[in-house]
């Protein structure tokens, strides 16, 4: 590698979801693979939990990142141009004039315009569309997280499939987390109480409507939902029943320790999402010993193979008790395959090719 790899550090300023966790933990794993002076991590001065890295130089710019397109398109891009670097972006964005090695986790905004309703949502969608096309047409290399997403990018933007490398996501951090079992008491349940658990952002694609309708049909089953408060999200009116059904507990945002306790105790982790580029939460669930009930759509069958119980995301009248009687494969090979260390090694091998 002759030109330096310059990692966009916007993830250190954002709410930690799957993409941000991938960026933060893979960067730390990459640190042991890079030689000194091969890479830099460029972060704003309001970044939190700035990592202490051995081989990747951490560069803190004297500017804050609040409006993220401004950070990537002005400050980060200016630094990349000034130092003749190659950008590495983890979050579906790229410097408009200097796209380098860029992740596209999915092209949801392109495929599902109906999910963007408000004026703000439509502006966000427009920015995503510009980023998707710029990366597809001009990036030096595109990284994506599944063969499914690779195919959707190739089919949509009519580009050479050789330009896209599949870099599967992974999970490692849950092994080091101690479960906080006090969350069971906080939610007024015991370790003997059977419940289904789901985790993720309360966005349309997560298909909480499936759980709402299913819970109404099966009032004796208990569901715990972790995610941002419903008050802060524009959700379809039919999801208002989540608040009213007695067999649904809205747990709000939970810490990793609390999540691990619920994953370790639940009857099964349920993930009825109708669209996923990879689908990380079920992998986190498997790593905690949970059974997973997931949608039979998009990338999920590719990732989870025979170790999952599959549901149709459009059919909530599914008997989960009968479903869980089916035989599934041991997930040990999947857990061993999809690790952040393997993700980092794959990314590094692609960087070496450049």
């Amino acid at each position: 590698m002759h030109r330096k790899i310059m990692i966009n550090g916007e993830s250190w300023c954002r709410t930690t979801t799957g993409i941000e966790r991938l960026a933060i933990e893979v960067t730390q794993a990459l640190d042991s693979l890079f030689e000194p002076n091969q890479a830099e991590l460029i972060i704003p001065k309001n970044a939190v939990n700035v990592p202490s890295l051995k081989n990747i130089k951490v560069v803190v710019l004297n500017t804050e990142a609040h409006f993220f397109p401004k950070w990537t398109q002005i400050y980060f891009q200016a630094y990349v141009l000034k130092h003749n670097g190659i950008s590495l972006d983890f979050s579906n964005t790229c410097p408009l004039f200097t796209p380098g090695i860029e992740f596209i986790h999915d092209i949801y905004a392109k495929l599902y315009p109906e999910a963007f309703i408000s004026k703000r949502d439509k502006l966000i969608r427009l920015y995503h569309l510009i980023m998707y096309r710029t990366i597809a047409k001009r990036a030096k290399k595109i990284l994506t997280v599944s063969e499914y997403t690779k195919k959707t990018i190739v089919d949509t933007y009519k580009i050479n499939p050789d330009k896209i490398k599949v870099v599967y996501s992974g999970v490692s951090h849950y092994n080091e987390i101690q479960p906080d079992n006090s969350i069971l008491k906080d939610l007024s349940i015991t370790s003997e109480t059977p419940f289904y658990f789901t985790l993720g952002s309360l966005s349309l694609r997560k298909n909480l409507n499936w759980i709402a309708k299913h819970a109404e049909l099966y009032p004796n089953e208990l569901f715990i939902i972790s995610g941002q408060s419903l008050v802060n999200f524009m959700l379809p009116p039919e999801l208002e029943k989540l608040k009213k059904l007695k067999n649904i507990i809205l747990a709000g945002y939970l810490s990793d320790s609390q999540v691990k306790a619920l994953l370790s105790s639940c009857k099964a982790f349920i993930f009825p999402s109708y669209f996923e580029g990879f689908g990380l939460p079920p992998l986190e669930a498997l790593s905690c010993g949970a059974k997973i009930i997931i949608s039979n759509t998009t990338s999920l069958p590719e990732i989870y193979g025979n170790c999952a119980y599959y549901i149709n995301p459009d059919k909530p009248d599914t008997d989960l008790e009968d479903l869980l009687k089916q035989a599934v494969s041991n997930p040990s090979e999947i857990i061993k395959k999809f690790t952040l260390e393997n993700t980092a090694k794959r990314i590094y091998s692609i960087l070496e090719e450049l």
Side-chain angles (χ1 to χ4, degrees):
M1 284 177 264
H2 300 292
R3 295 168 64 189
K4 279 188 181 180
I5 301 299
M6 295 183 174
I7 302 169
N8 189 342
E10 68 175 340
S11 293
W12 277 261
C13 293
R14 297 172 62 165
T15 301
T16 303
T17 63
I19 290 177
E20 287 75 29
R21 194 186 298 280
L22 175 74
I24 291 168
E25 297 193 11
V26 167
T27 297
Q28 292 171 331
L30 281 169
D31 186 49
S32 63
L33 301 176
F34 278 117
E35 296 293 330
N37 298 317
Q38 283 188 323
E40 295 181 358
L41 171 63
I42 317 303
I43 60 177
K45 67 179 182 180
N46 63 323
V48 294
N49 299 321
V50 177
S52 177
L53 302 175
K54 180 181 178 182
N55 295 317
I56 298 175
K57 181 181 178 182
V58 178
V59 178
V60 181
L61 299 189
N62 189 31
T63 185
E64 295 188 355
H66 298 289
F67 183 58
F68 291 104
K70 186 175 179 181
W71 160 260
T72 295
Q73 301 308 331
I74 297 179
Y75 304 115
F76 176 68
Q77 181 161 232
Y79 188 90
V80 173
L81 283 168
K82 180 179 178 181
H83 297 275
N84 192 31
I86 299 176
S87 69
L88 170 58
D89 294 82
F90 285 93
S91 57
N92 292 340
T93 60
C94 71
L96 196 58
F97 301 112
T98 58
I101 301 99
E102 314 295 350
F103 262 94
I104 298 182
H105 294 263
D106 59 60
I107 53 171
Y108 179 71
K110 176 70 174 178
L111 300 178
Y112 290 89
E114 65 274 15
F116 297 80
I117 301 168
S118 68
K119 288 183 179 180
R120 180 179 178 274
D121 287 345
K122 289 178 179 178
L123 285 173
I124 291 172
R125 178 174 183 264
L126 177 60
Y127 181 67
H128 280 310
L129 295 183
I130 293 170
M131 290 292 96
Y132 296 159
R133 176 165 288 278
T134 302
I135 293 171
K137 298 297 185 181
R138 297 177 49 227
K140 296 181 182 302
K141 194 68 70 175
I142 302 168
L143 310 182
T144 195
V145 290
S146 64
E147 292 291 344
Y148 165 79
T149 302
K150 176 177 178 175
K151 185 177 186 305
T152 63
I153 297 169
V154 170
D155 291 349
T156 301
Y157 294 102
K158 312 301 180 188
I159 61 174
N160 186 341
D162 293 340
K163 187 177 181 179
I164 306 177
K165 300 292 185 182
V166 174
V167 178
Y168 288 116
S169 189
V171 62
S172 299
H173 74 289
Y174 267 92
N175 299 331
E176 303 169 2
I177 294 171
Q178 292 299 313
D180 179 4
N181 291 309
S182 66
I183 185 62
L184 299 175
K185 183 178 179 181
D186 293 343
L187 297 176
S188 300
I189 59 175
T190 70
S191 58
E192 305 301 319
T193 305
F195 66 90
Y196 296 98
F197 179 52
T198 191
L199 169 72
S201 62
L202 302 182
S203 60
L204 287 173
R205 72 160 90 181
K206 300 306 180 184
N207 197 18
L208 293 182
N209 192 33
W210 191 99
I211 294 178
K213 290 182 177 179
H214 179 90
E216 195 171 33
L217 292 169
Y218 295 84
N220 294 326
E221 294 177 348
L222 177 64
F223 293 85
I224 298 176
I225 299 173
S226 172
Q228 294 287 347
S229 171
L230 292 176
V231 175
N232 298 326
F233 282 78
M234 292 180 61
L235 293 175
E238 63 266 23
L239 293 186
E240 285 294 311
K241 69 177 65 173
L242 285 170
K243 300 177 182 178
K244 300 174 184 177
L245 291 170
K246 294 181 179 180
N247 57 333
I248 288 181
I249 297 175
L250 299 174
Y253 179 81
L254 299 176
S255 69
D256 286 346
S257 296
Q258 292 171 321
V259 167
K260 185 165 186 177
L262 293 173
L263 287 173
S264 302
S265 305
C266 66
K267 190 171 184 177
F269 177 80
I270 189 159
F271 198 66
S273 178
Y274 67 78
F275 182 90
E276 292 293 331
F278 180 89
L280 189 60
L283 184 61
E284 295 173 337
L286 288 176
S287 74
C288 296
K291 297 177 181 179
I292 59 171
I293 299 172
I294 62 176
S295 295
N296 59 0
T297 58
T298 60
S299 67
L300 295 173
E302 172 191 341
I303 304 302
Y304 295 102
N306 296 323
C307 73
Y309 301 89
Y310 289 101
I311 56 175
N312 185 327
D314 296 319
K315 294 184 177 180
D317 57 336
T318 301
D319 191 321
L320 298 183
E321 288 284 350
D322 279 351
L323 184 66
L324 290 174
K325 292 176 183 176
Q326 297 177 8
V328 296
S329 301
N330 188 301
S332 58
E333 290 303 312
I334 285 177
I335 295 170
K336 190 184 303 181
K337 176 182 179 181
F338 297 130
T339 68
L340 290 172
E341 289 77 15
N342 286 341
T343 303
K345 289 176 184 176
R346 174 69 170 147
I347 292 172
Y348 187 77
S349 69
I350 294 167
L351 297 179
E352 281 192 311
E353 292 174 9
L354 296 175

